[in-house]
Amino acid sequence: GESVGLHLPTLSVQEGDNSIINCAYSNSASDYFIWYKQESGKGPQFIIDIRSNMDKRQGQRVTVLLNKTVKHLSLQIAATQPGDSAVYFCAENGGGSNYKLTFGKGTLLTVNP
Amino acid sequence: DSGVTQTPKHLITATGQRVTLRCSPRSGDLSVYWYQQSLDQGLQFLIQYYNGEERAKGNILERFSAQQFPDLHSELNLSSLELGDSALYFCASIPVTVNTEAFFGQGTRLTVV
């Protein structure tokens, strides 16, 4: 069945370090992927997205890498800051004509000052 | 601010009761999605509406129902509540075009006692 999972449930880094959060997906029909950040008590916020015809996309301090061969997605955060502390979710659209996001369980990122 | 409004923010009710959660999507967005987030779970897709019609169902219990009104706001009705229904309930909306980010509201925290 469809599933999106995360390799690491928690990640602790020092301020200024780079962070890498990984995600595996199983639905090969998915052609659109999103990373969301969720701070405590808030709704998920969009960070960056990538379509399946790309293998890398960069934003401000963030980069998403997509490896369709092994169905793997990663989020890289450069120079991690305390404000980056949150739960990060990857999501896939499942392909098809109807858009439905399937989320993984999330990775808790803690940035130590 | 995502532009998606959810009310109420918090709700405490007793087992066996019925509640209604409300969501107003972003202006112009026709699709509304409902998600449930429990303490040890990621975001579980419940149901999707598009321009007033049900488009997709996920892991939604029979005790739960939803609808989208002509003004595009949506309501999620939860009945015969059980302790295990305690969770955060999120609403998200997207524009007409597919494969774009979904905008999430701040959620309703439901506590069943």
Side-chain angles (χ1 to χ4, degrees):
Chain A
E2 299 176 7
S3 69
V4 176
L6 291 164
H7 295 310
L8 298 173
T10 61
L11 179 63
S12 183
V13 301
Q14 291 298 122
E15 182 178 357
D17 287 352
N18 296 334
S19 303
I20 299 176
I21 300 172
N22 295 303
C23 174
Y25 66 94
S26 61
N27 190 343
S28 56
S30 290
D31 54 10
Y32 179 65
F33 305 86
I34 306 180
W35 280 100
Y36 279 93
K37 172 186 180 183
Q38 186 178 24
E39 296 173 290
S40 181
K42 296 185 177 181
Q45 294 174 280
F46 171 87
I47 300 173
I48 193 168
D49 60 2
I50 189 167
R51 286 167 172 69
S52 59
N53 61 352
M54 304 171 71
D55 53 20
K56 180 179 180 179
R57 189 160 190 231
Q58 288 183 292
Q60 189 176 19
R61 285 201 305 118
V62 294
T63 300
V64 55
L65 298 177
L66 174 63
N67 185 331
K68 294 182 288 294
T69 302
V70 295
K71 296 179 195 165
H72 184 266
L73 199 65
S74 69
L75 176 70
Q76 300 177 2
I77 304 174
T80 315
Q81 302 168 359
D84 295 327
S85 294
V87 177
Y88 289 81
F89 293 96
C90 64
E92 59 175 323
N93 75 336
S97 59
N98 190 37
Y99 177 99
K100 186 188 85 173
L101 285 177
T102 300
F103 285 81
K105 288 202 172 185
T107 292
L108 173 62
L109 175 66
T110 302
V111 182
N112 302 308
Chain B
D1 182 9
S2 67
V4 178
T5 304
Q6 288 188 249
T7 57
K9 284 189 170 52
H10 301 276
L11 197 49
I12 300 176
T13 190
T15 55
Q17 295 298 306
R18 182 179 189 276
V19 296
T20 297
L21 312 183
R22 182 187 169 103
C23 168
S24 294
R26 294 191 324 151
S27 176
D29 286 0
L30 300 181
S31 268
V32 168
Y33 300 78
W34 285 99
Y35 286 85
Q36 180 193 56
Q37 186 177 37
S38 303
L39 199 59
D40 59 348
Q41 296 285 328
L43 286 146
Q44 301 291 319
F45 170 71
L46 294 178
I47 197 164
Q48 175 204 358
Y49 278 84
Y50 177 81
N51 202 19
E53 294 186 1
E54 182 184 302
R55 180 63 68 90
K57 263 187 176 180
N59 301 319
I60 187 166
L61 300 171
E62 286 190 9
R63 300 183 285 110
F64 296 0
S65 65
Q67 54 184 328
Q68 186 179 27
F69 294 86
D71 67 354
L72 300 178
H73 91 271
S74 178
E75 293 181 355
L76 179 66
N77 302 298
L78 314 177
S79 61
S80 303
L81 285 167
E82 302 174 359
L83 296 178
D85 297 327
S86 297
L88 273 165
Y89 291 84
F90 287 102
C91 164
S93 74
I94 65 166
V96 177
T97 54
V98 297
N99 284 349
T100 186
E101 65 178 285
F103 293 86
F104 281 81
Q106 294 297 295
T108 294
R109 181 174 291 281
L110 173 66
T111 302
V112 183
V113 297

